[in-house]
Amino acid sequence: MYPITTVHYLALSAALLLIGTVGVLTRRNIVIILMSIELILNAVNINLIAFSHAAGNVRGQVFAIFVIVDAVAEAAVGLGILIALFRNKETVLADEIDLLKW
Amino acid sequence: MNFLDQIWLIPLFPLLGAALMFFFGRRLDPQPQSDVAIAPGVEPIYDEHAHGHSHSHGHDHGHSHSHDHDHGHSHSHDHDHGLAHGHHNHSPLKFLIKLLCPGMVLLSFIFSVGAIWQLSEKAPRIHELIQFTWIAGLPFHMANGQMATFQMDWGFLLDPLSSVMILVVTGVGFLIHVYATGYMDHDNGYYRFFGYLNLFVFFMLMLVLANNYALLFVGWEGVGLCSYLLIGFYFQKQSAADAGKKAFIVNRVGDAGFVLGMLLMMSVLGSLRFTDVNAVLHSGKFTAEAAGFGTLSVIALLMFVGATGKSAQFPLYVWLPDAMEGPTPVSALIHAATMVTAGVYMVARSAALFQLTPSTSGVVATVGAFTAILAASIALVQNDIKRVLAYSTVSQLGYMFLAAGVGAYWVAIFHLFTHAFFKALLFLCSGSVIHSLGGEQDMRHMGGLKDKIPITHWTMWVGSVAIAGIPGLAGFFSKDEILWQAFSSPLGGPVLYGVGLTTAAMTAFYMWRLMNMTFYGKSRVKPEVAAHIHESPASMTAPLTLLAIGSVLAGWLGTPKLWNLPEAFRSFEAWLEPMFASPLVEAAKEGGHDTSTEWMLMGLSVTIAVAGIFLARYLYHIKPEIPDRIEASFKPLHKVLYNKWYVDEIYDFLFVNGLCKGGGLLAGSFDRNVVDGGVNGAGWLTRFSSSVSIWWDTWIIDGAVRFGSFFVKMLSYPVCILQTGRVQAYAFFVVIGALVFFGYYVVR
Amino acid sequence: MLTDTLLFYAFALITLVGGVLTITRRNAIHSAISLIVSLLGVAGLYLMQQAEFLFAVQIVLYVGGIMVLFLFVIMLVNLDQAAKQRQFNRQWLVALAAVAVVAAEIAYFMYRGAGSIHIAEAAVPGTPAGIGNTEMIADSLFGEYLLPFEIASVLLLVAVVGSVVMAKKRI
């Protein structure tokens, strides 16, 4: 337990990912879902940084920057969609948006 | 112009006329309501209300029907002018028919004359023209094992015999066509009549110009067909339709014999071409079959059976009297001058064969003589003018066969030649009489017409004198020669001569009975008919005149050697001599001529004829009440003669009823049950198979299609459940996927 | 060493607890705050891995940008009504089970594969003196990864336009 190896970071990243996944699958509130997605992305980032540190180059970190850029874009657009959805449907619950069911 | 090379045109012209009538006739002569020539007194089958007043003329049932009921016979009124004008349909283009059809025959006549002229300058006088090969060589085995090829050409043979025939056919045929333009003027179906008539001339010319038996048979059958069509011209009349059928069927019986004869001839002689057959027969390979019936005799006999049917000899003559149902020009052309003489022509053509078979020749002569006297006896008591002439024709044909049977083939042809003239003349005159009396055919209602229809009277007088055999006119020369040959030929004998003489007496008698009853004496014409008696138009009387002249002059071509006239007056025999010359005939000719016997016989026949004429005059002109007394005292004999020796009734009993019943049986039960059952069964089967098809299509094929869609739908249900529309559910599936994906690596 | 370990575990705890809280709070604001806490924890972890630039970016961008945006939107979208509803959907149990299985699988992988990461660990160079983390990232970003960089900027442009369009009342 003592020396913190890369594996610890990987385990942490996996745990955070799974927490985020549970949040995506389980919560009805769309805002919470979007936040859970941010959790997942962060988990990925932790993973990347860990490997970047282990490999000794900055490639992982550059990748992580791009992930953050992505997360930003996605959060912005996602929230825009949420607003539009709220305006039309008056609800932010994912369960109630099932127009595409068979 | 080389007429000889164009002899193929001679049959072609009338064929062209027939074809034009077939294609365009309707346009040239459109009928008011139907093409059917309606014999008056017949109810048209179609609706008559539509044609009110024009039919009222045609329905003068009164006297026409009363005649039918008077006698036991069915009388046919082949034409009914004054009282029952059919339908005056004179379309403006009708004259084209009048020009075209006789014109075609005239063209054939001109070409024939030209061809014969050129033939006479040729030596030997044979011209064979083969146009094309119809049936190419088929090898077959002859009776004696040799290989031969059967080849049937469309070939024409012009030699003295066929030249006489084409002159008769086209010459007399042309005159009859001209006559018919006037006679049939008021009838429906004008174009049809002339089309058939031209077609008949075509077939007859094919018959006489053929260069082989097979093509002759084509013409043979063709004239039979046209005879049927023309006899049954007024086909809406039951008796006419029946007569047509009778003629055709009886002819057919003869044709069966003809075909058998042809096949046997092919088997024995190896070919059907006249030149080949004659060459083989003259070559000496076959000796004359003296006694009994050898193969050649059987061939000849079978051919003669065919001739019997066509030329109305016993026992196949019964169709000819009934054939009088057809219009008079038909009777004249077909049943006097041409078709019935086809049998005589064929026998003459096969002279080489008959010369080698005395037994068959004897049969021919016997049958001919028997028929002659039988028919003459029936003609003695008939009351319908056309029936008398019909039986007279049968009788004269018997004479021709008698002549052929005793070996005097040129005499048979000579009698054919002269007979064509005066018999056609007699028929046309009778038609003229009927025309002027407005359809009356019963001689008991004629009389005293001499001054009213003079031209008809005089021409008929000439014809009657000719047929009676008075010296100077045509009939005498030919008939007398026949009687002499019957007596003096090695195949003849006094019995045949006696029969011939008796027949000659009867001929003179019944002809002059006819003349007296029709033209002389007190008029027994019905009053309403008497008012309309008129002479026939020029189109009818001109041919009569020409034929009368021919009846006088034609005989002078064959004067007896006894009279020692210049060669020209015996040119007929000389013309035909090379046809019938053969080594055997040459050998037989050495028999001496007994001139005194010949003179005696000649005088005897003349006396008999004159006696017959005067007896007829006595019985029917001077003392007309006597015949009824004779009839009363000889009632049974009269009855037998009047009913034609009950031959028709015997045939009915023997053959016709059985066939009709059998046919009825066939038609009825067999046809209904088996044939119709088969057809219905086929229909049922079709419907059944279609219903099977429908079931298959609906359930199997459509089922497969529907199953496909059903299957997809079924598959889709589980999938549908998955499609919730909620994003989180989809996200869940992603996780499940990852789970499975990882799981694979876990277990690996 | 010990400091590292303790710090790691501290930051890890903050991150995880923040995450759990994020996904379980009824009130959206509470969720957002919990997320901020979690992100801060992540930033700390970055720092421990000598990713200073990323640490700064994380704080500035993620917390200062995205989470502020989230808060604005939460306030824009009136979530009081939603807070009174049932928070967890019907598939929570199944989802939990599935995630548990996945967790087990990942644990198994890590247990089995832990020994092979040393390949990556082999090259732990000393950072060349004088060049800081930011400079190295700048070198990489504007050199080797220039194209992705430009594309990322286009992506941001698109996102800007997209979000403006999406949120407009009338297009």
Side-chain angles (χ1 to χ4, degrees), chain B residues 176-470:
Chain B
I176 294 177
H177 272 80
V178 172
Y179 178 91
T181 60
Y183 189 80
M184 300 293 290
D185 210 12
H186 298 295
D187 271 348
N188 290 337
Y190 202 70
Y191 73 92
R192 193 163 60 96
F193 181 79
F194 276 99
Y196 289 157
L197 218 59
N198 267 17
L199 191 68
F200 169 82
V201 175
F202 161 69
F203 277 121
M204 192 68 203
L205 288 170
M206 284 309 301
L207 196 157
V208 297
L209 281 175
N211 79 336
N212 58 61
Y213 280 101
L215 195 60
L216 187 148
F217 191 62
V218 169
W220 190 272
E221 292 285 298
V223 296
L225 168 73
C226 290
S227 171
Y228 161 76
L229 290 171
L230 285 164
I231 293 173
F233 186 68
Y234 301 115
F235 59 83
Q236 287 198 333
K237 199 152 162 252
Q238 185 61 35
S239 54
D242 286 344
K245 274 184 275 184
K246 187 172 180 179
F248 196 78
I249 294 172
V250 173
N251 251 302
R252 230 38 191 125
V253 174
D255 293 347
F258 192 102
V259 171
L260 287 174
M262 274 207 297
L263 293 173
L264 199 55
M265 184 185 289
M266 258 205 336
S267 159
V268 171
L269 299 174
S271 168
L272 287 179
R273 281 176 66 188
F274 295 140
T275 42
D276 293 345
V277 166
N278 284 347
V280 168
L281 288 171
H282 287 155
S283 67
K285 259 210 282 199
F286 299 91
T287 53
E289 299 175 0
F293 281 88
T295 322
L296 284 184
S297 302
V298 173
I299 298 178
L301 198 61
L302 287 170
M303 307 292 273
F304 178 62
V305 168
T308 318
K310 188 66 77 185
S311 296
Q313 296 300 293
F314 182 84
L316 298 174
Y317 69 94
V318 291
W319 63 273
L320 192 56
D322 284 9
M324 297 300 120
E325 297 280 341
T328 309
V330 169
S331 308
L333 181 62
I334 298 186
H335 308 126
T338 41
M339 187 180 100
V340 292
T341 57
V344 184
Y345 165 74
M346 195 269 294
V347 169
R349 183 56 87 188
S350 317
L353 183 64
F354 283 94
Q355 278 163 348
L356 284 174
T357 59
S359 22
T360 313
S361 295
V363 171
V364 172
T366 316
V367 168
F370 179 68
T371 310
I373 196 166
L374 178 76
S377 66
I378 301 178
L380 287 176
V381 295
Q382 294 303 313
N383 287 320
D384 183 348
I385 194 173
K386 284 181 76 176
R387 295 272 151 142
V388 176
L389 293 174
Y391 284 107
S392 170
T393 308
V394 175
S395 179
Q396 298 300 310
L397 288 167
Y399 266 116
M400 293 181 217
F401 279 106
L402 172 60
V406 297
Y409 300 101
W410 80 268
V411 182
I413 300 296
F414 185 46
H415 194 60
L416 188 159
F417 179 68
T418 56
H419 174 263
F421 282 103
F422 55 71
K423 194 41 71 61
L425 172 64
L426 285 169
F427 265 111
L428 295 186
C429 287
S430 72
S432 179
V433 169
I434 295 168
H435 167 98
S436 53
L437 287 179
E440 183 59 66
Q441 283 186 236
D442 192 332
M443 292 194 291
R444 294 172 293 185
H445 293 125
M446 299 182 192
L449 295 175
K450 173 168 82 142
D451 301 313
K452 306 225 175 91
I453 43 175
I455 304 182
T456 310
H457 165 243
W458 279 111
T459 46
M460 199 153 190
W461 188 93
V462 171
S464 303
V465 172
I467 196 174
I470 303 299

Side-chain angles (χ1 to χ4, degrees), chain A residues 24-25 27 33 97 100-102, chain B residues 720 723-725 728 731-732:
Chain A
V24 167
L25 293 177
R27 290 301 300 255
I33 292 173
I97 303 161
L100 279 180
K101 79 168 174 214
W102 73 277
Chain B
C720 280
Q723 192 177 353
T724 53
Q728 284 173 310
F732 174 63

